Amino acid sequence: MSGGGSKIRRALLSVSDKSGLVEFARAIAGLGVELISTGGTAAALRAEGLRVKDVSELTGFPEMLDGRVKTLHPMVHGGLLAVRGDARHEAQVAEHGIGPIDLLVVNLYPFEATVAKGAPYDDCVENIDIGGPALIRAAAKNHAGVTVVVEPGDYARVLEEMKSNAASTTLATRKHLAAKAFARTAAYDAAISAWFADVLGETAPEWRAFGGRRVQELRYGENPHQSAAFYEAGEARYGVATAVQMQGKELSYNNLNDTDAAFELVAELGDGAPAVAIIKHANPCGVATAGTLKEAYAKALACDPVSAFGGIIALNRNLDAAAAEEIVKTFTEVVIAPSVDDAARAVFAAKKNLRLLATGGLPDPRAPGLMVRSLAGGLLVQSRDNGVIGRADLKVVTKRAPTEAELADLIFAFKVAKHVKSNAIVYVKDGATVGIGAGQMSRIDSARIAALKAADAAKTMGLKQPATIGSVVASDAFFPFADGLLAAAEAGATAVIQPGGSMRDEEVIAAADEKGLAMVLTGMRHFRH
């Protein structure tokens, strides 16, 4: 394979995204490149006064079958795939009158966008590109002599090289563009196969492909010695992928991971009452609802003011100046909300390193989706935990039923527990977490740690007693023994919510009755690892 330049004499252009097309085509035509094109692309170029040869002139066949067949022809693919400098290839193309095509500019039918807007089945199928991927793969395979461009963002690079290298591109550039081309067609096919699996209701298809487009190359991963990047997967879901960064430093890997956890949690609470979640290392250290965002933030901060330092703050509605003025009093890495008003932006402007994100909306906690985790030699794929419980789902199993106030706090606590690493214990009082135990190997340890942190917070806040006294408690999974429940009772909890399902449920229920606790079972577990 030669490392030299490859002169471009003929180019085939066929694009759905026409941004920058005319300018690029005019520039390469000015360098003596013959332009070949199809359908709407050819019409757009001619409308701007450019001389273009229709691909049908090249093939001797008209576009047919509503445009489904136009470039699938030896006159096109032979021109892309013939190896330059190979005597046998050159003899064969000469025999059949096939001219070389040195530059291919193609981007694909907007299948992903068609699916994202909820188009009917037939429209989605019609937007599956066939000729485009075939052209791209042919050109990319023969990158030793052919330049392939699959997105307008690469026009400038190609044009710059052509201008400075007598209408040629370098092998290094062609390799880079070929790699991108294969990745693009792979991601495109992944989107199509994922759509078919969804349409067919296949939760575990035999072959599963994932694709994404790089949004950001990160400085490093979880640790400085790890490389990392953030990819957009095309899912229509509000969050870090849809967010506009209004100010602040570049987001890191850990910022993105924690911010996603924070925003998903606050979305779980809905858009009713103002809600705030404070996250550290993907676990909440304070969550609350109140009459205003300012009040909700103060309640969330009170749960664990020490851990909140350097945390991520998520809010469930338009962020106003009153809340912003409270938030800036504590060092914060990221603030994320559906929107931010101008007065709040002015407050945050004084904290230039603070990253401020507006997503445009809240994700739906009930929406389906996939979660993917890599294992040695494979991928572990599961559906998103979109399970949501309401009052009708609860079963009272103790002699005492919870009061209305306890019931509201129990449901809130269980929603928060869904977003805490297992084993998870969450104490809640008056619409705010007052103690959170996360990620422990035994449930009783999580219960004790949550109570201990509540006691520490009480000292920090100058309270006479921990806020766990008179609270309710949620567990993400069943109590395998009564000891975890008894630890919660000792901390001052008066009511309990948990999935149930333990072999010792009766023992746990009896312990709750003995302590005068109300307990409800949800029948739904929320492990998070």
Side-chain angles (χ1 to χ4, degrees), residues 270-304:
D271 58 2
V276 173
I278 306 172
I279 297 288
K280 198 78 170 286
H281 296 297
N283 273 309
C285 48
V287 187
T289 59
T292 67
L293 286 177
K294 177 181 177 180
E295 294 167 346
Y297 172 71
K299 290 170 68 176
L301 181 64
C303 178
D304 191 352

Side-chain angles (χ1 to χ4, degrees), residues 74-156:
M75 296 298 289
V76 176
H77 283 268
L80 290 171
L81 283 165
V83 176
R84 277 60 170 165
D86 183 296
R88 290 188 305 114
H89 282 207
E90 290 181 350
Q92 288 174 39
V93 295
E95 179 185 352
H96 296 284
I98 299 173
I101 298 172
D102 311 301
L103 170 64
L104 177 73
V105 180
V106 170
N107 49 61
L108 304 172
Y109 291 172
F111 175 81
E112 297 102 327
T114 302
V115 171
K117 69 182 182 182
Y121 179 91
D122 288 346
D123 288 355
C124 293
V125 170
E126 201 57 36
N127 274 279
I128 296 175
D129 203 329
I130 302 301
L135 290 170
I136 289 170
R137 290 173 61 83
K141 176 175 181 174
N142 203 24
H143 62 270
V146 180
T147 305
V148 57
V149 178
V150 296
E151 61 181 6
D154 288 316
Y155 290 165

Side-chain angles (χ1 to χ4, degrees), residues 151-209:
E151 61 181 6
D154 288 316
Y155 290 165
R157 176 178 182 175
V158 171
L159 186 58
E160 183 180 351
E161 282 201 1
M162 290 178 68
K163 285 180 176 179
S164 59
N165 292 291
S168 298
T169 57
T170 64
L171 179 59
T173 289
R174 296 194 301 277
K175 281 183 176 180
H176 171 82
L177 293 173
K180 177 182 282 190
F182 280 120
R184 176 65 189 109
T185 58
Y188 192 74
D189 286 340
I192 295 167
S193 65
W195 173 75
F196 264 113
D198 185 53
V199 167
L200 296 172
E202 293 184 353
T203 57
E206 184 174 357
W207 289 90
R208 173 72 83 177

Side-chain angles (χ1 to χ4, degrees), residues 338-410:
S339 57
V340 184
D341 68 28
D342 289 342
R345 290 186 67 176
V347 172
F348 287 121
K351 302 289 185 180
K352 298 188 182 300
N353 288 335
L354 183 146
R355 304 155 179 91
L356 180 61
L357 307 180
T359 64
L362 286 172
D364 180 1
R366 295 175 176 79
L370 292 177
M371 308 294 287
V372 185
R373 177 172 294 182
S374 63
L375 302 180
L379 297 172
L380 198 58
V381 182
Q382 65 173 344
S383 61
R384 177 184 288 119
D385 183 359
N386 61 352
V388 176
I389 59 102
R391 294 192 177 205
D393 303 303
L394 305 181
K395 179 183 178 182
V396 179
V397 292
T398 48
K399 295 175 181 177
R400 183 175 78 81
T403 66
E404 281 299 308
E406 286 174 329
L407 193 56
D409 278 346
L410 287 168

Side-chain angles (χ1 to χ4, degrees), residues 177-446:
L177 293 173
K180 177 182 282 190
F182 280 120
R184 176 65 189 109
T185 58
Y188 192 74
D189 286 340
I192 295 167
S193 65
W195 173 75
F196 264 113
D198 185 53
V199 167
L200 296 172
E202 293 184 353
T203 57
E206 184 174 357
W207 289 90
R208 173 72 83 177
F210 296 97
R213 181 186 183 127
R214 191 185 70 208
V215 176
Q216 181 184 351
E217 189 169 0
L218 304 170
R219 287 178 297 149
Y220 53 81
E222 280 188 280
N223 301 293
H225 63 278
Q226 294 173 268
S227 60
F230 176 40
Y231 289 84
E232 186 179 64
E235 183 184 15
R237 186 173 181 82
Y238 291 116
V240 291
T242 66
V244 174
Q245 185 170 348
M246 297 179 164
Q247 68 163 62
K249 297 191 297 184
E250 181 181 283
L251 289 157
S252 71
Y253 179 98
N254 292 324
N255 289 155
L256 288 163
N257 187 56
D258 289 353
T259 302
D260 178 69
F263 203 58
E264 288 288 332
L265 192 164
V266 85
E268 191 81 42
L269 305 177
D271 58 2
V276 173
I278 306 172
I279 297 288
K280 198 78 170 286
H281 296 297
N283 273 309
C285 48
V287 187
T289 59
T292 67
L293 286 177
K294 177 181 177 180
E295 294 167 346
Y297 172 71
K299 290 170 68 176
L301 181 64
C303 178
D304 191 352
V306 173
S307 296
F309 183 86
I312 311 293
I313 298 174
L315 308 97
N316 72 337
R317 60 185 55 218
N318 180 63
L319 176 51
D320 56 30
E325 287 168 355
E326 290 302 310
I327 290 170
V328 296
K329 293 177 181 178
T330 300
F331 170 62
T332 300
E333 290 277 1
V334 183
V335 176
I336 184 169
S339 57
V340 184
D341 68 28
D342 289 342
R345 290 186 67 176
V347 172
F348 287 121
K351 302 289 185 180
K352 298 188 182 300
N353 288 335
L354 183 146
R355 304 155 179 91
L356 180 61
L357 307 180
T359 64
L362 286 172
D364 180 1
R366 295 175 176 79
L370 292 177
M371 308 294 287
V372 185
R373 177 172 294 182
S374 63
L375 302 180
L379 297 172
L380 198 58
V381 182
Q382 65 173 344
S383 61
R384 177 184 288 119
D385 183 359
N386 61 352
V388 176
I389 59 102
R391 294 192 177 205
D393 303 303
L394 305 181
K395 179 183 178 182
V396 179
V397 292
T398 48
K399 295 175 181 177
R400 183 175 78 81
T403 66
E404 281 299 308
E406 286 174 329
L407 193 56
D409 278 346
L410 287 168
I411 292 174
F412 177 85
F414 200 64
K415 287 180 177 180
V416 174
K418 176 180 173 180
H419 294 266
V420 179
K421 296 293 178 71
S422 300
N423 288 303
I425 293 290
V426 177
Y427 294 94
V428 165
K429 186 176 183 180
D430 298 330
T433 57
V434 294
I436 300 173
Q440 297 305 303
M441 290 69 76
S442 66
R443 195 156 300 278
I444 187 172
D445 285 344
S446 287

